[in-house]
Amino acid sequence: MSALLNHRLAVPAVLIVFVALLPLVLPSSFYLRIATLVWISAFAVIGLNLLMGYAGQVSLGHAGFFGIGAYAAAVLPAQLGVPGILAVVIGAIVSALIAYLVGRPILRLKGHYLAVATLGFGILVAMVINNEAWVTGGPDGMTVAALGIKKLLKSAFGLKVKTAELWYWIAGAMLVVGAWVAVNLVDSPTGRALRAVHDSEIAARVAGIDVARMKLVVFVVSAVYAALAGSALALFNGFITPDTAGFLHSIELVTMVVLGGMGSILGSVVGAAVLVVLPQLLTMFHDYEHLLLGLLMMVFMIFLRAGIVPGLRSLIAGRGAA
Amino acid sequence: MAEFLQFAFSGLTVGAVYALVALGFTIIYNASDVVNFAQGEFVMIGGMATVFLTALGVPIPVAVVLAILGAVGVGLLLHRLAIEPARGASSVTLIIITIGASIFLRGLAQVVFDKQFHTLAAFSGDTPIVVGGASILPQSFWVMGGAVVIVVLLWAFFNHTLIGKAVLATSANRLAAKLVGINTGMIMSLAFALSAAIGAVAGVLVTPITLTSYDVGTLLALKGFAAAMLGGMGHPLGAVVGGLVVGLLEAFGAGYLSSDYKDAIAFVVILLTLFVLPTGLFGRASVERV
C-alpha cells in the first residue's frame, strides 16, 4: 500500500480519478465553478510549494507572477490583438524572464530579508497594474476575451458545452499535468539537490551543489506555474482585477502551501481546496466573514503545524506501525 | 527650499509612525523570533478605540489611556492564545498565524467599531506653524515628539532597568537567560504588551493627520516590516532609522517623482539596499551552523 502511495505516478493518478469523478457528485454548475477555482489555485500552489517545500525559500510576492499571467491573457488580446493562447504563452515567458532577472539578486537573501524582498516585488507589480489604468483598467479591472474554444468545438464537432464544464476539464487537466511535472521534478537529480538545499544550504554547497542556480531554477519554475494559473483564472472568469496580484493573494497562496503541507503535492491541492471553499461557506456570515477566516487560519496553523496531508499521513503511519 | 522642507517634515512625520511600528516588530522579534504581522492592528486599535470612547463622552486623556490598555490586552491575548500554543512551529507557520490574527482583528474591528473613516481633533489646534516657508501642522510635532519620547524611554528601559536588561538577555540567548533565572515566558508577554502599547500610542498620535479605519493596519504593518528589515532585523536603532528613511523616501518620492508610485519608490530603495547589504543597514551577517 505504502509502496503504491510512494510511486511517482501515484499522485497524478489519484488526481485523475478525483477530477474525473467529482462532477458526478456536484449538484450544479455553481459547484463546478468552485471546483474549477480549486484546480486553478492548486496549480499555482504546486509551483509555490516546489519553492517553499523543496527549496525552502519563502515568497510573499508570488501573486505578482499570478497577476502577470492574468493580465497578459487580458491585455495582449485587447490592446495588441494577440491570439489568446499565444498571450498565455507570452505571459508565462515574461514571468519566467522576470523571475530569472529578479531572482538572481533576491535569492541571495535569507529568511525574513528574502520575505521582505519578495513582498516588495509583489507590491511593485500590483502597483503598476493599479496605476497604469490606460492599459489595465486600473482598480476597476478589465474584461478578458474568451479563447474561442467553445466556438471551435461547436463548429468543428458540433459539440455544445457549457463554459463551466469546459473550464472544469481544462483546469482539471492543467492540474494533473502540473502535478505530474512536479513529481517528476522532485524525483529528478534536481529535486534531490533541492531537498539538500532545504536541509542545509552549506552542506549542500560542500557536497558540490550549485545552490544559487538550483534556487533560481525553482524560482523560475514556480513563477511559470503562477503565471499559467493566473492566465487560466483570467480566461475562466472573463474578468480580472488588480487584487489577483495583491499582497493578500500572495498570503493566500502561501497559506495554501503551509496548510496543505509543505513539500506535499497532494497537500497543495488540499490546501487550495480548503482556502477556496472556506470563504464561500463564510459568505453566509456576512459581517463575520473576516473574523472567522482569521480565526480559522490561526486554529489550523496552531493545531496542524505540519499541514493537513503530512499530518494525516503520519497519523496513518503511526497506526500501521502500532 | 521651502518645498524641500515641506517634504522633509511630512516625511519625518510618517517616518516617525513607521519607526514606531518597526520598533514594535523589533521588540517582539528579539524576545520571541516571531515576525508579528498584526503589529499594524495595534495602531488601528489605538486610533479607533480612542475615537469611539471620546464619542461616548469619555474625556480624551482617559480615552487614550483606555485605548492603550485595550491594545495591551489584545497583545497579551495574542501571545497567550495564538503564539504560545504554536511554540516551536516554523517561522512561516508563525507568520501565517500572525497574519491570521491580523485578519481576525480587522474583522473584529469591523463588527465592534464600523467601516467608516474617523478622525480625532488635533491636540493643539489646526493652525499651521511656518518654518522656513514650509507650513507644519502642530500635530506633526506631537507625532515626532511622541516618537522621540518613546525611543528615549525604551532606551532607558533597556539599559537602566533590571527587567529591560532581562529582555535584552532573552533576545541575546534565550536558554542562557533561562539558566540565569530569567522568566523568559514573562519576558515574551512583556514584549507583546510593550509593542502593543507603542503601536497604540502611534495610532492615537497620527489619527488627527491621517484618519483611521478598521483596515489601516495592513499597509502600516508592511511598511513597518520593510523599515525593520531595512534597518536590520532585531536592531532597535536600525528600526528607527529604517522607519524614518522609508517615510522620507515616500515623501520626497511623492513630491519630486510621482505620487502614484510613492510606495513603489520606498520598496525599490529597500530592494536595492538589500542587494548591497543583505542584512540591512545595521544588521550583522549571521553564521549558519551545519
Side-chain angles (χ1 to χ4, degrees):
Chain A
M1 176 73 186
S2 81
L4 208 63
L5 269 177
N6 288 333
H7 191 270
R8 185 189 293 194
L9 293 177
V11 173
V14 167
L15 286 176
I16 287 179
V17 173
F18 203 70
V19 169
L21 296 183
L22 192 65
L24 301 179
V25 292
L26 290 179
S28 71
S29 60
F30 171 74
Y31 294 94
L32 217 53
R33 287 185 64 87
I34 292 179
T36 310
L37 288 177
V38 172
W39 302 154
I40 292 174
S41 287
F43 187 82
V45 175
I46 287 175
L48 185 56
N49 206 342
L50 289 174
L51 181 69
M52 287 176 61
Y54 291 97
Q57 311 296 314
V58 182
S59 168
L60 292 185
H62 239 57
F65 296 116
F66 195 96
I68 291 172
Y71 275 87
V75 169
L76 293 178
Q79 304 279 352
L80 303 171
V82 177
I85 198 79
L86 186 62
V88 173
V89 175
I90 293 176
I93 293 173
V94 168
S95 260
L97 272 178
I98 293 179
Y100 181 77
L101 293 174
V102 176
R104 301 202 95 166
I106 276 189
L107 291 169
R108 286 197 355 230
L109 302 170
K110 298 215 165 67
H112 299 313
Y113 294 99
L114 176 65
V116 84
T118 51
L119 171 74
F121 164 74
I123 288 180
L124 289 184
V125 174
M127 213 171 286
V128 171
I129 293 173
N130 257 310
N131 286 333
E132 303 306 321
W134 57 285
V135 206
T136 62
D140 298 335
M142 68 184 293
T143 50
V144 186
L147 271 185
I149 299 176
K150 238 166 59 170
K151 263 193 211 127
L152 188 76
L153 284 176
K154 200 173 170 194
S155 62
F157 307 102
L159 271 173
K160 261 202 198 167
V161 268
K162 286 192 207 147
T163 313
E165 283 172 14
L166 176 69
W167 274 99
Y168 177 87
W169 295 113
I170 294 178
M174 268 178 76
L175 178 68
V176 171
V177 173
W180 180 74
V181 170
V183 284
N184 276 297
L185 190 71
V186 169
D187 252 4
S188 69
T190 312
R192 280 194 294 278
L194 282 176
R195 269 172 285 169
V197 172
H198 190 183
D199 291 340
S200 166
E201 242 182 89
I202 292 178
R205 195 174 302 143
V206 171
I209 293 168
D210 187 347
V211 174
R213 204 183 134 264
M214 283 300 154
K215 285 202 246 176
L216 192 60
V217 167
V218 217
F219 192 61
V220 170
V221 169
S222 69
V224 170
Y225 268 88
L228 289 175
S231 297
L233 182 74
L235 292 165
F236 164 60
N237 269 344
F239 191 80
I240 204 81
T241 66
D243 289 345
T244 41
F247 170 66
L248 282 179
H249 192 220
S250 288
I251 293 303
E252 241 176 86
L253 293 174
V254 170
T255 309
M256 287 171 180
V257 170
V258 182
L259 185 60
M262 285 221 250
S264 162
I265 304 289
L266 217 50
S268 301
V269 183
V270 176
V274 173
L275 270 208
V276 169
V277 174
L278 203 59
Q280 300 287 343
L281 297 175
L282 293 179
T283 45
M284 289 187 282
F285 299 97
H286 295 296
D287 292 344
Y288 298 95
E289 191 185 336
H290 284 110
L291 199 149
L292 289 171
L293 185 64
L295 194 65
L296 287 171
M297 262 171 84
M298 286 192 281
V299 170
F300 272 129
M301 287 337 304
I302 292 169
F303 294 106
L304 287 166
R305 231 169 266 196
I308 296 173
V309 169
L312 287 178
R313 187 167 289 170
S314 64
L315 207 69
I316 294 168
R319 288 254 171 88
Chain B
M1 191 59 196
E3 207 181 31
F4 179 85
L5 271 181
Q6 189 75 60
F7 296 148
F9 276 116
S10 69
L12 286 174
T13 309
V14 227
V17 177
Y18 296 157
L20 290 180
V21 177
L23 260 180
F25 267 114
T26 307
I27 291 171
I28 288 183
Y29 178 78
N30 278 346
S32 62
D33 283 339
V34 173
V35 173
N36 174 30
F37 270 97
Q39 191 65 32
E41 267 60 43
F42 296 141
V43 182
M44 177 270 290
I45 293 171
M48 288 294 268
T50 310
V51 167
F52 275 80
L53 287 168
T54 43
L56 290 174
V58 181
I60 282 227
V62 183
V64 169
V65 172
L66 287 177
I68 293 170
L69 288 178
V72 167
V74 170
L76 288 173
L77 285 175
L78 175 67
H79 174 241
R80 186 76 201 80
L81 300 178
I83 307 295
E84 191 64 28
R87 197 203 296 249
S90 71
S91 66
V92 188
T93 305
L94 285 166
I95 285 184
I96 295 178
I97 291 176
T98 64
I99 289 173
S102 148
I103 296 174
F104 170 76
L105 288 172
R106 234 178 297 151
L108 192 67
Q110 212 175 315
V111 179
V112 175
F113 306 123
D114 59 16
K115 294 192 195 176
Q116 313 294 318
F117 276 97
H118 295 281
T119 188
L120 280 171
F123 299 174
S124 327
D126 291 317
T127 325
I129 298 159
V130 179
V131 179
S135 54
I136 307 150
L137 288 172
Q139 192 66 28
S140 289
F141 289 106
W142 276 98
V143 176
M144 290 186 267
V148 170
V149 170
I150 287 177
V151 169
V152 170
L153 283 178
L154 277 179
W155 177 83
F157 173 71
F158 283 129
N159 291 292
H160 293 287
T161 67
L162 204 55
I163 303 183
K165 286 180 181 170
V167 177
L168 287 185
T170 308
S171 42
N173 187 331
R174 203 162 309 145
L175 186 63
K178 220 176 220 167
L179 286 175
V180 295
I182 295 170
N183 183 348
T184 50
M186 197 271 281
I187 295 294
M188 281 186 218
S189 298
L190 179 73
F192 274 83
L194 203 58
S195 58
I198 294 173
V201 172
V204 172
L205 292 175
V206 82
T207 295
I209 302 179
T210 57
L211 309 185
T212 189
S213 79
Y214 75 100
D215 61 353
V216 290
T218 317
L219 211 56
L220 278 174
L222 294 185
K223 301 274 180 64
F225 175 55
M229 301 313 294
L230 177 63
M233 196 70 201
H235 203 292
L237 179 66
V240 175
V241 174
L244 292 177
V245 170
V246 171
L248 286 170
L249 282 171
E250 264 184 40
F252 285 122
Y256 290 123
L257 296 169
S258 147
S259 59
D260 284 344
Y261 282 102
K262 70 178 169 95
D263 297 334
I265 294 153
F267 273 107
V268 166
V269 174
I270 290 169
L271 286 179
L272 293 177
T273 312
L274 288 181
F275 294 160
V276 185
L277 301 163
T279 51
L281 296 171
F282 294 87
R284 279 165 309 214
S286 65
V287 178
E288 188 188 340
R289 289 181 62 152
V290 185

